[in-house]
Coordinates of all heavy atoms in Angstrom, one line a residue:
R335 N 25.0 4.9 7.4 CA 25.1 6.2 8.1 C 23.7 6.7 8.7 O 23.8 7.7 9.6 CB 25.6 7.3 7.1 CG 27.1 7.0 6.9 CD 27.7 8.2 6.0 NE 26.9 8.3 4.7 CZ 26.2 9.4 4.4 NH1 26.1 10.3 5.3 NH2 25.5 9.6 3.3
L336 N 22.7 6.0 8.4 CA 21.4 6.4 9.0 C 21.4 6.1 10.5 O 20.6 6.6 11.3 CB 20.3 5.5 8.4 CG 19.9 6.1 7.0 CD1 18.8 5.2 6.4 CD2 19.3 7.5 7.0
R337 N 22.4 5.3 10.9 CA 22.4 4.9 12.5 C 22.9 6.2 13.2 O 22.8 6.1 14.5 CB 23.3 3.7 12.6 CG 22.7 2.5 12.0 CD 23.3 1.2 12.5 NE 22.9 0.0 11.9 CZ 21.7 -0.6 12.1 NH1 21.0 -0.2 13.1 NH2 21.4 -1.7 11.4
I338 N 23.4 7.1 12.7 CA 24.0 8.3 13.6 C 23.2 9.5 13.1 O 23.8 10.7 13.2 CB 25.5 8.5 13.2 CG1 25.8 8.6 11.8 CG2 26.3 7.3 13.8 CD1 27.2 8.9 11.4
K339 N 22.1 9.4 12.8 CA 21.1 10.6 12.4 C 20.4 11.0 13.7 O 20.9 10.7 14.8 CB 20.2 10.3 11.3 CG 20.7 10.1 10.0 CD 21.4 11.4 9.4 CE 21.9 11.2 8.0 NZ 22.3 12.4 7.4
E340 N 19.3 11.8 13.6 CA 18.5 12.2 14.8 C 18.1 11.0 15.8 O 17.9 11.1 16.9 CB 17.5 12.9 14.5 CG 17.7 14.4 14.1 CD 18.2 14.5 12.6 OE1 18.4 13.5 11.9 OE2 18.4 15.6 12.1
S341 N 17.9 9.8 15.1 CA 17.7 8.6 15.7 C 18.6 7.5 14.9 O 19.1 7.9 13.9 CB 16.3 8.1 15.8 OG 15.8 7.9 14.5
D342 N 18.7 6.4 15.3 CA 19.1 5.2 14.6 C 18.1 5.0 13.5 O 17.2 4.2 13.8 CB 19.6 4.1 15.5 CG 20.0 2.8 14.6 OD1 19.7 2.8 13.4 OD2 20.6 1.9 15.2
R343 N 18.2 5.5 12.5 CA 17.0 5.6 11.6 C 16.7 4.2 10.9 O 15.6 3.9 10.4 CB 17.2 6.6 10.4 CG 16.7 7.9 10.8 CD 16.6 8.9 9.6 NE 16.4 10.3 10.2 CZ 16.9 11.4 9.6 NH1 17.7 11.2 8.4 NH2 16.7 12.5 10.1
I344 N 17.8 3.3 10.9 CA 17.4 1.9 10.4 C 16.5 1.2 11.3 O 15.4 0.8 11.0 CB 18.7 1.1 10.2 CG1 19.5 1.8 9.0 CG2 18.4 -0.4 9.9 CD1 20.9 1.1 8.8
K345 N 16.9 1.3 12.6 CA 16.0 0.7 13.7 C 14.7 1.4 13.8 O 13.6 0.8 14.0 CB 16.8 0.7 15.1 CG 17.8 -0.3 15.2 CD 18.3 -0.3 16.6 CE 19.4 -1.4 16.7 NZ 19.0 -2.8 16.5
S346 N 14.7 2.8 13.6 CA 13.5 3.5 13.8 C 12.3 3.2 12.7 O 11.3 3.0 12.9 CB 13.8 5.0 13.8 OG 14.6 5.4 14.8
V347 N 12.9 3.0 11.6 CA 12.0 2.8 10.4 C 11.6 1.3 10.4 O 10.4 1.1 10.1 CB 12.8 3.1 8.9 CG1 11.9 2.6 7.8 CG2 13.0 4.6 8.8
V348 N 12.4 0.4 10.8 CA 12.0 -1.0 10.9 C 10.9 -1.1 12.0 O 9.8 -1.7 11.7 CB 13.2 -1.9 11.4 CG1 12.7 -3.3 11.8 CG2 14.2 -2.0 10.1
E349 N 11.1 -0.3 13.0 CA 10.1 -0.3 14.1 C 8.8 0.2 13.6 O 7.6 -0.1 14.0 CB 10.6 0.4 15.4 CG 9.5 0.3 16.6 CD 10.0 0.9 17.8 OE1 11.2 0.5 18.2 OE2 9.3 1.7 18.4
M350 N 8.9 1.4 12.8 CA 7.7 2.1 12.4 C 6.8 1.2 11.5 O 5.7 1.1 11.7 CB 8.3 3.3 11.5 CG 7.0 4.1 10.8 SD 7.7 5.3 9.6 CE 8.3 4.4 8.3
L351 N 7.5 0.5 10.6 CA 6.7 -0.4 9.7 C 6.2 -1.6 10.3 O 5.0 -1.9 10.3 CB 7.6 -0.9 8.6 CG 8.2 0.2 7.6 CD1 9.1 -0.4 6.6 CD2 7.0 0.9 6.9
T352 N 7.0 -2.1 11.4 CA 6.5 -3.3 12.1 C 5.3 -2.9 13.0 O 4.4 -3.8 13.2 CB 7.7 -3.9 13.0 OG1 8.8 -4.2 12.1 CG2 7.3 -5.1 13.7
S353 N 5.4 -1.8 13.6 CA 4.4 -1.4 14.6 C 3.0 -1.3 13.9 O 1.9 -1.3 14.6 CB 4.7 -0.1 15.3 OG 4.8 1.0 14.4
V354 N 2.9 -1.1 12.7 CA 1.6 -1.0 11.9 C 1.2 -2.2 11.2 O 0.2 -2.3 10.4 CB 1.6 0.2 10.9 CG1 1.7 1.5 11.8 CG2 2.5 0.1 9.8
G355 N 2.1 -3.2 11.3 CA 1.8 -4.6 10.7 C 2.6 -4.9 9.5 O 2.3 -5.8 8.9
G356 N 3.6 -4.0 9.2 CA 4.6 -4.3 8.1 C 5.4 -5.5 8.3 O 5.6 -5.9 9.4
N357 N 6.0 -6.0 7.3 CA 6.9 -7.1 7.3 C 8.3 -6.7 6.7 O 8.5 -6.4 5.5 CB 6.4 -8.3 6.4 CG 7.2 -9.5 6.5 OD1 8.2 -9.6 7.2 ND2 6.9 -10.6 5.7
V358 N 9.3 -6.5 7.8 CA 10.6 -5.8 7.3 C 11.7 -6.6 8.1 O 11.4 -7.0 9.2 CB 10.5 -4.4 7.6 CG1 10.1 -4.0 9.0 CG2 11.9 -3.7 7.2
T359 N 12.8 -6.8 7.5 CA 13.9 -7.4 8.0 C 15.0 -6.4 8.1 O 15.5 -5.8 7.1 CB 14.4 -8.6 7.2 OG1 13.3 -9.5 7.2 CG2 15.5 -9.3 7.9
E360 N 15.6 -6.0 9.3 CA 16.7 -5.2 9.5 C 18.0 -5.9 9.0 O 18.3 -7.1 9.4 CB 16.8 -4.9 10.9 CG 18.0 -3.8 11.3 CD 18.1 -3.3 12.6 OE1 17.1 -3.4 13.4 OE2 19.1 -2.8 13.1
T361 N 18.9 -5.2 8.4 CA 20.2 -5.7 7.9 C 21.3 -4.7 8.5 O 20.9 -3.6 9.1 CB 20.3 -5.7 6.4 OG1 20.3 -4.4 5.8 CG2 19.3 -6.6 5.8
D362 N 22.5 -5.0 8.4 CA 23.5 -4.2 9.0 C 23.6 -2.8 8.4 O 23.8 -1.8 9.0 CB 25.0 -4.8 8.8 CG 25.1 -6.1 9.7 OD1 24.4 -6.2 10.7 OD2 26.0 -6.9 9.4
D363 N 23.3 -2.8 7.0 CA 23.5 -1.5 6.3 C 22.1 -1.1 5.7 O 22.1 -0.2 4.9 CB 24.5 -1.6 5.1 CG 24.1 -2.5 4.1 OD1 23.2 -3.3 4.3 OD2 24.5 -2.4 2.9
G364 N 21.1 -1.6 6.3 CA 19.7 -1.1 5.7 C 18.6 -2.1 6.1 O 18.5 -2.4 7.4
M365 N 17.9 -2.5 5.2 CA 16.6 -3.3 5.6 C 16.1 -3.9 4.2 O 16.3 -3.4 3.2 CB 15.6 -2.4 6.1 CG 15.0 -1.3 5.3 SD 14.1 -0.1 6.2 CE 15.3 0.9 6.9
I366 N 15.3 -4.9 4.4 CA 14.5 -5.6 3.4 C 13.0 -5.5 3.7 O 12.6 -5.9 4.7 CB 14.9 -6.9 3.2 CG1 16.3 -7.2 2.8 CG2 14.1 -7.6 2.0 CD1 16.8 -8.6 2.8
I367 N 12.2 -4.7 2.9 CA 10.8 -4.5 3.1 C 10.1 -5.5 2.3 O 10.2 -5.5 1.0 CB 10.4 -3.2 2.8 CG1 11.2 -2.1 3.6 CG2 8.9 -2.9 3.0 CD1 12.1 -1.2 2.9
H368 N 9.3 -6.5 2.9 CA 8.6 -7.4 2.2 C 7.2 -6.9 1.9 O 6.4 -6.7 2.8 CB 8.5 -8.7 3.0 CG 9.8 -9.2 3.5 ND1 10.8 -9.7 2.8 CD2 10.5 -9.1 4.8 CE1 11.8 -10.1 3.4 NE2 11.6 -9.7 4.7
G369 N 7.0 -6.4 0.7 CA 5.8 -5.7 0.4 C 4.5 -6.6 0.4 O 4.5 -7.8 0.4
G370 N 3.4 -5.9 0.4 CA 2.0 -6.6 0.3 C 1.5 -7.0 1.7 O 0.3 -7.5 1.7
A371 N 2.1 -6.7 2.8 CA 1.6 -7.0 4.1 C 0.2 -6.1 4.4 O 0.2 -5.0 3.9 CB 2.6 -6.8 5.3
T372 N -0.7 -6.6 5.2 CA -1.9 -5.7 5.6 C -1.4 -4.8 6.7 O -0.9 -5.3 7.6 CB -3.0 -6.7 5.9 OG1 -3.3 -7.4 4.8 CG2 -4.2 -5.7 6.4
L373 N -1.5 -3.6 6.5 CA -1.1 -2.5 7.5 C -2.4 -2.1 8.2 O -3.3 -1.5 7.6 CB -0.4 -1.3 6.8 CG 0.8 -1.7 5.9 CD1 1.4 -0.5 5.4 CD2 1.8 -2.5 6.6
K374 N -2.4 -2.4 9.5 CA -3.6 -2.2 10.3 C -3.5 -0.9 11.0 O -4.6 -0.3 11.4 CB -3.6 -3.3 11.5 CG -2.4 -3.3 12.4 CD -2.4 -4.4 13.4 CE -1.3 -4.4 14.4 NZ -0.1 -4.5 13.9
G375 N -2.4 -0.2 11.1 CA -2.3 1.1 11.9 C -1.9 0.7 13.3 O -1.4 -0.4 13.6
G376 N -1.7 1.7 14.1 CA -1.2 1.6 15.5 C -0.5 2.7 16.0 O -0.5 3.8 15.3

Side-chain angles (χ1 to χ4, degrees):
R335 285 185 306 111
L336 287 176
R337 296 196 184 277
I338 55 172
K339 295 289 188 175
E340 284 81 352
S341 68
D342 177 340
R343 274 195 194 141
I344 293 177
K345 286 189 177 298
S346 301
V347 170
V348 168
E349 182 177 312
M350 173 186 74
L351 296 176
T352 303
S353 63
V354 300
N357 185 1
V358 56
T359 303
E360 181 177 340
T361 64
D362 288 342
D363 69 339
M365 66 195 75
I366 302 170
I367 300 107
H368 311 287
T372 299
L373 304 183
K374 62 184 185 298

